[in-house]
Amino acid sequence: MNQYLPTIIILTAAALAILLILYRIWDSRVEAPKKLEDEVAEALNGAKADVASIEPARKAAAALSYLGNRCVIVREFGKLPTRLYSMAELIGIEVFVNNKVAARIIRGGAHKMFDDIAPQVDRVTIRLMFNDPSKPDFELILWDPNDALTARAEGPRAAMETARRWFYHVEAIIRKPLAEIEKELTPPAPPPPPPEPAPKAPVHDHRNDDTDNDDAPPPAPKPAPKDGDVLNSPLIQYL
């Protein structure tokens, strides 16, 4: 029995290693993307995303819903809280292709139209900019050569299409005046409740002023004479 013990230990360790590898593959390709999707869906609070990007390899995600008035940013999922921005707080976007600016639009600033002339795409990144001094920007890598075997790897050309959709959505928002955005997306204030009606004064019936009060109690009857009461008894019975 002792001669088989090393073999049993080696086989057990190999089986555990295989199970661990399978779990990591399942977690990175199935569980992690699903958790990110659930986090984004919960942050959107039922609103439909116009454009969204889930990057499980970087534990990051971003989603934009104009009608929902929400831009969801997930950084280091599980470590940092998810941040929400309104459309008025979104001030720009930059698209980087091969570490060079391919497109840019900033509210009240520079504007560079989308330039998709790179013969070979090695890296695609978007940078969203917000009116937030603590976290003014957010970079999300949509494609990297090391992403070839990771979950949700969409390839360089598909990443370019995703970056293009992000740019055009943000560009349409930036071109709108802030006053128009706030007017369109701010829900109207509820109307004030109607005032309570004043209580009605009691109506006095003047027809009963000169009449007798029918509700007055009748006069009490006179007590009957008692037997032997000579003073109060009638005189006829004594005649």
Side-chain angles (χ1 to χ4, degrees):
M1 181 64 183
N2 293 334
Q3 60 182 349
Y4 298 110
L5 185 59
T7 304
I8 294 174
I9 294 175
I10 293 173
L11 292 177
T12 303
L16 291 176
I18 292 174
L19 290 176
L20 181 60
I21 293 173
L22 292 176
Y23 170 76
R24 288 184 175 179
I25 293 175
W26 174 82
D27 183 69
S28 63
R29 292 185 173 273
V30 178
E31 189 66 15
K34 186 178 182 302
K35 288 181 179 179
L36 275 173
E37 288 178 346
D38 293 343
E39 179 70 14
V40 171
E42 183 179 356
L44 288 174
N45 195 25
K48 182 180 179 181
D50 301 321
V51 59
S53 294
I54 307 294
E55 298 297 330
R58 283 165 278 278
K59 297 182 179 180
L64 179 70
S65 174
Y66 179 76
L67 294 180
N69 195 20
R70 290 179 179 230
C71 183
V72 180
I73 300 298
V74 181
R75 293 183 177 92
E76 297 184 27
F77 178 61
K79 295 182 180 180
L80 297 179
T82 300
R83 299 181 73 92
L84 299 177
Y85 297 96
S86 65
M87 295 299 100
E89 294 176 300
L90 180 63
I91 62 174
I93 184 174
E94 288 180 328
V95 178
F96 297 89
V97 179
N98 299 339
N99 297 324
K100 295 181 180 179
V101 178
R104 175 193 292 124
I105 183 169
I106 302 174
R107 189 182 299 277
H111 184 192
K112 176 179 172 60
M113 296 299 296
F114 204 101
D115 184 11
D116 185 13
I117 60 174
Q120 182 177 355
V121 177
D122 295 328
R123 186 182 178 93
V124 181
T125 306
I126 62 172
R127 175 188 290 168
L128 298 171
M129 290 168 278
F130 304 96
N131 187 15
D132 181 7
S134 61
K135 297 287 185 180
D137 65 342
F138 171 69
E139 284 192 7
L140 184 63
I141 301 174
L142 302 180
W143 169 253
D144 187 89
N146 298 323
D147 295 344
L149 299 178
T150 60
R152 303 296 176 90
E154 54 185 359
R157 303 313 303 178
M160 286 293 297
E161 291 301 321
T162 301
R164 189 188 301 274
R165 289 198 305 271
W166 270 103
F167 180 79
Y168 290 152
H169 275 91
V170 175
E171 182 185 30
I173 295 171
I174 297 301
R175 289 184 180 277
K176 272 194 170 187
L178 281 176
E180 184 177 345
I181 293 176
E182 293 177 354
K183 181 180 179 181
E184 184 176 353
L185 299 181
T186 302
E196 297 183 359
K200 295 182 179 180
V203 179
H204 181 68
D205 191 356
H206 297 281
R207 295 175 298 175
N208 298 329
D209 291 348
D210 299 332
T211 60
D212 295 335
N213 190 359
D214 296 336
D215 296 333
K222 294 182 179 181
K226 299 180 181 180
D227 295 340
D229 189 355
V230 179
L231 297 177
N232 294 326
S233 61
L235 299 177
I236 298 177
Q237 62 179 344
Y238 295 102
L239 295 179

